[in-house]
Amino acid sequence: MEIENTLHRFLQNLDMLKYSKHFSDNGYDNIDDIINLTAVDLQNILIIDETDTKTILDAAAVYEESPDVKIKCWLLSKNLNLYADRLGENGIHTLEQVVDLEINDDKIYEKLGIKLAGHRRRFERAVLDLRRKRCLDEEPETPVAYGYWAKPEDLSDAQNEFLCIQAKAKSPFNDHLTRNLEFMVDSGSDVSTLQREIIDSLQLKSVSTVESKGIHSASREKDLYNVYLQLGKESLDIDVIEENYNSLGNKILRQFRHYINGSRHIWLSGHRQNTSTNAEELKEPSAATPPSSSDLSTSQPPQP
């Protein structure tokens, strides 16, 4: 059996088959045994040559078996090894694929031939254990930036607070022209906006015109400006139109994942999309009501 050949291959690659019985007679016969070997373990099974001990321990420290064998050893450790072939027949060749199985779907167990209720429950527990281990092994995610609930200075007479974020706007034409700004998060708008005073101070140039359409107003032509945005640790190249407040629309929001609660808005890395605006008609922003957490996609908060 492939699993039983694991020790043999390991020793053979080191030209150490002379120690095969030392291992097998003492129960060292699977992957976990190999990767956890210590100098004391080798002494206890009478492997005392210093050079050989170092060779075996160095190899054990970096040893990694093939994905198929890892699955078979995992199944064997759970007394589910009779299903090893069925997993392979269904294209499941890595533990990563096992972790992603829909264990609440009856069809999975039909495909794998797991008919006994006890074996099904054991398989479910084993997959859940793998998922917990993967979560523990993953590095905590560092947020891109932190937002908050507030009334922006240019919307101080608003009835409600808005989700806001601090970001730096930079001129594409002059590296020295920058402004640290507070932006309102406007998930109901397709477009981002800057105040005229900001546009002028950054010496932004109109790159085109667009038809901007408000919810309760007719379409009107507006200049479209290009600006660089530094949002936390992320740099973006975005398009904006003039408005009497600064805002970030949903074209920017969709580039990130978000976690929102009653006190803060955490921006997490997501799939980068094109932020340029080339639509003939844009949905004009409206500051009538603040976006709620349900307006934005949310994810679990990052670990502290």
Side-chain angles (χ1 to χ4, degrees):
M1 186 178 179
E2 193 170 4
I3 296 174
E4 295 171 347
N5 292 328
T6 298
L7 175 63
H8 182 87
R9 287 197 303 274
F10 173 74
L11 294 174
Q12 186 176 46
N13 290 337
L14 301 177
D15 195 21
M16 296 278 178
L17 283 177
K18 60 185 178 182
Y19 293 124
S20 181
K21 279 187 65 64
H22 291 67
F23 283 97
S24 59
D25 288 353
N26 288 280
Y28 290 91
D29 51 19
N30 65 39
I31 295 174
D32 192 62
D33 294 333
I34 293 173
I35 62 177
N36 288 293
L37 281 172
T38 68
V40 173
D41 292 331
L42 297 183
Q43 290 174 7
N44 287 340
I45 60 175
L46 302 181
I47 298 177
I48 55 178
D49 182 274
E50 291 184 4
T51 301
D52 289 351
T53 295
K54 185 178 185 306
T55 299
I56 293 171
L57 292 179
D58 287 349
V62 296
Y63 180 77
E64 187 170 356
E65 192 51 271
S66 69
D68 279 332
V69 172
K70 284 183 180 180
I71 283 188
K72 291 176 180 178
C73 287
W74 172 72
L75 289 171
L76 183 63
S77 71
K78 305 298 180 181
N79 290 321
L80 293 168
N81 48 300
L82 68 161
Y83 302 111
D85 291 342
R86 293 295 290 270
L87 263 72
E89 291 168 6
N90 284 277
I92 302 170
H93 301 289
T94 69
L95 288 177
E96 287 73 20
Q97 289 174 294
V98 173
V99 168
D100 292 332
L101 287 175
E102 293 290 341
I103 57 175
N104 294 321
D105 186 350
D106 292 338
K107 293 181 180 179
I108 290 294
Y109 300 96
E110 293 176 10
K111 290 180 179 179
L112 300 182
I114 302 177
K115 299 177 181 179
L116 298 177
H119 285 190
R120 171 170 174 157
R121 293 289 293 125
R122 190 188 308 164
F123 188 83
E124 289 174 354
R125 292 193 301 272
V127 173
L128 289 174
D129 285 343
L130 281 179
R131 290 178 181 174
R132 293 187 191 99
K133 184 178 184 302
R134 183 170 71 172
C135 288
L136 291 173
D137 290 343
E138 288 178 349
E139 290 293 326
E141 183 173 3
T142 302
V144 172
Y146 293 92
Y148 49 89
W149 292 95
K151 289 183 181 181
E153 184 177 345
D154 41 288
L155 294 171
S156 57
D157 58 345
Q159 290 184 340
N160 302 301
E161 291 185 331
F162 295 84
L163 283 172
C164 298
I165 183 76
Q166 296 282 340
K168 180 182 288 186
K170 300 190 291 186
S171 169
F173 312 107
N174 188 331
D175 292 339
H176 300 292
L177 297 178
T178 64
R179 291 288 296 271
N180 291 314
L181 302 170
E182 180 179 63
F183 288 87
M184 178 190 74
V185 175
D186 192 354
S187 65
S189 172
D190 295 331
V191 70
S192 298
T193 67
L194 281 178
Q195 294 169 295
R196 167 49 57 185
E197 181 266 326
I198 305 297
I199 293 173
D200 292 340
S201 70
L202 296 177
Q203 301 178 6
L204 302 183
K205 300 176 182 179
S206 174
V207 293
S208 65
T209 59
V210 292
E211 289 293 323
S212 179
K213 185 176 182 180
I215 298 175
H216 303 295
S217 61
S219 297
R220 51 180 174 156
E221 191 174 83
K222 282 195 170 186
D223 286 317
L224 188 69
Y225 302 89
N226 181 247
V227 65
Y228 295 155
L229 184 74
Q230 186 70 41
L231 183 63
K233 61 182 182 179
E234 292 281 343
S235 296
L236 306 171
D237 184 348
I238 71 171
D239 293 332
V240 299
I241 62 173
E242 178 191 347
E243 194 48 80
N244 59 4
Y245 52 86
N246 304 317
S247 69
L248 298 180
N250 62 48
K251 290 176 72 70
I252 308 302
L253 298 180
R254 287 198 299 268
Q255 295 189 71
F256 301 91
R257 293 174 294 116
H258 305 268
Y259 172 76
I260 303 167
N261 61 23
S263 61
R264 63 179 179 171
H265 175 187
I266 301 175
W267 296 62
L268 303 168
S269 295
H271 298 293
R272 180 61 61 87
Q273 299 177 6
N274 183 3
T275 57
S276 62
T277 303
N278 53 17
E280 294 181 358
E281 223 176 52
L282 289 175
K283 184 178 176 183
E284 189 174 339
S286 171
T289 57
S292 67
S293 60
S294 61
D295 291 327
L296 303 174
S297 60
T298 60
S299 69
Q300 292 300 309
Q303 300 177 33

